[in-house]
Amino acid sequence: MVKSFSDRLKCVSHPKAQELINIILRKKSNLCFSADVTESQKLLELVDKVGPHICLLKTHIDIVSDFTPDLVTELRKLAKKYDFLIFEDRKFADLGNTVQKQFSEGIYKISSWADFINAHVVVGPGIITGLKNVAHNQGLILIAQMSAAGNLCHQAYIKEALMMAEDNRSFVCGFICTESVTSDESFLNFVPGVNFSSSGDGLGQQFVSPSQAVQKGADVIIVGRGIYQSSNPAATAKEYKELAYTAYLNLLESE
Ligand SMILES: O=C(O)c1cc(=O)[nH]c(=O)n1[C@@H]1O[C@H](COP(=O)(O)O)[C@@H](O)[C@H]1O
């Protein structure tokens, strides 16, 4: 039984997850744009074009060659202008004591600007406590599955990820996954590896279409190259947005 985003608001408790659902409903968009480009200017230009169509911007801030703190100031301005949240895809994967420094210190100071972050669960629950200690209202997304071929996220691993999420509901608001990993509607499923014109990249990435992703349980689809490598990123983002949101509406209707 698929719940509408409006109904999900009643069971989702994390403030950032609630904020995200409200944006999804306002903009009729469950599209996250993964802006994996390496120059600040290019990144800002892309986000300025794609911003109207997305609920969430995903960054890999450490791939930007000319990073300065001004970049995140500008990204936050665009987030306000176009009404989206920001997810820094740092994939934390170390001891609690180490990740809290990676999250709040260094040159990126992620805890001062990101709305969502993600973490691998291979380390055990200490990673969640470490990140939570220095978080400023961020929502944590646990990586339960990966889209890469040959990944090691087997059933037992996914089960452990679920248990860690259930034990940390005040901080964990969902999963990176390729299909719905729980019937618990209070967690959001973020699904990467979505592209309607390619099935893979020769480096392990495996793509599904927006409607396939939503049918498998995506609440939010994550699209990178499908948008930023397109000749018209704004029009293509609009297309991904409409395909994913229509797939969600169709799923509700078919219930
Ligand atoms: O955590 C992620 O977002 C992620 C997990 C995963 O299993 N697969 C995956 O592709 N991603 C990220 O999602 C984005 C996908 O980009 P494209 O393959 O270009 O659409 C990249 O930034 C990846 O780092």
Side-chain angles (χ1 to χ4, degrees):
M1 170 88 187
V2 180
K3 273 200 173 82
S4 66
F5 281 117
S6 319
D7 284 340
R8 296 285 285 284
L9 272 179
K10 293 170 201 148
C11 57
V12 166
S13 56
H14 195 287
K16 286 290 180 191
Q18 285 184 343
E19 216 179 320
L20 183 64
I21 293 176
N22 279 316
I23 295 175
I24 291 172
L25 289 166
R26 269 199 300 276
K27 295 179 79 173
K28 294 189 176 26
S29 171
N30 55 343
L31 171 63
C32 169
F33 172 45
S34 184
D36 301 339
V37 294
T38 57
E39 288 165 32
S40 299
Q41 196 51 39
K42 175 83 183 147
L43 174 57
L44 291 170
E45 279 168 19
L46 266 170
V47 176
D48 198 30
K49 288 182 186 145
V50 166
H53 305 296
I54 62 175
C55 61
L56 189 61
L57 169 70
K58 188 170 78 64
T59 52
H60 277 298
I61 208 68
D62 59 358
I63 67 171
V64 178
S65 309
D66 56 353
F67 174 85
T68 67
D70 285 348
L71 175 61
V72 288
T73 307
E74 292 308 312
L75 287 175
R76 290 276 16 147
K77 280 189 200 160
L78 290 168
K80 196 160 180 213
K81 179 174 175 190
Y82 294 118
D83 194 21
F84 60 77
L85 297 179
I86 303 181
F87 164 20
E88 164 52 27
D89 183 3
R90 172 62 180 76
K91 291 190 179 68
F92 294 103
D94 213 322
L95 294 177
N97 182 57
T98 305
V99 293
Q100 58 191 11
K101 295 177 200 163
Q102 292 172 324
F103 182 22
S104 60
E105 300 293 338
I107 54 173
Y108 302 116
K109 306 202 184 335
I110 296 165
S111 67
S112 71
W113 54 269
D115 296 298
F116 293 97
I117 51 164
N118 55 357
H120 285 293
V121 293
V122 65
V123 197
I127 192 169
I128 301 181
T129 316
L131 291 169
K132 195 176 172 185
N133 282 345
V134 291
H136 297 288
N137 305 315
Q138 275 89 12
L140 176 63
I141 299 168
L142 291 181
I143 300 164
Q145 291 178 311
M146 294 200 74
S147 59
N151 71 78
L152 305 179
C153 306
H154 301 308
Q155 280 311 317
Y157 186 87
I158 298 168
K159 207 170 152 208
E160 292 291 335
L162 282 178
M163 278 158 53
M164 282 167 65
E166 284 160 6
D167 289 345
N168 292 278
R169 287 176 180 280
S170 63
F171 187 32
V172 177
C173 48
F175 302 101
I176 294 289
C177 51
T178 55
E179 64 197 352
S180 181
V181 288
T182 172
S183 54
D184 185 336
E185 301 276 352
S186 62
F187 293 116
L188 293 172
N189 297 321
F190 299 81
V191 172
V194 180
N195 191 311
F196 57 54
S197 48
S198 171
S199 60
D201 65 358
L203 291 172
Q205 179 66 295
Q206 304 176 108
F207 290 120
V208 296
S209 71
S211 64
Q212 282 170 327
V214 170
Q215 278 157 19
K216 286 170 83 180
D219 295 308
V220 173
I221 64 159
I222 298 175
V223 183
R225 285 165 285 187
I227 293 174
Y228 68 79
Q229 286 184 344
S230 133
S231 56
N232 186 340
T236 306
K238 184 169 179 283
E239 219 175 319
Y240 274 100
K241 169 185 74 173
E242 288 170 355
L243 286 168
Y245 207 75
T246 304
Y248 152 71
L249 293 175
N250 288 344
L251 209 58
L252 281 187
E253 253 176 43
S254 68
E255 287 290 314

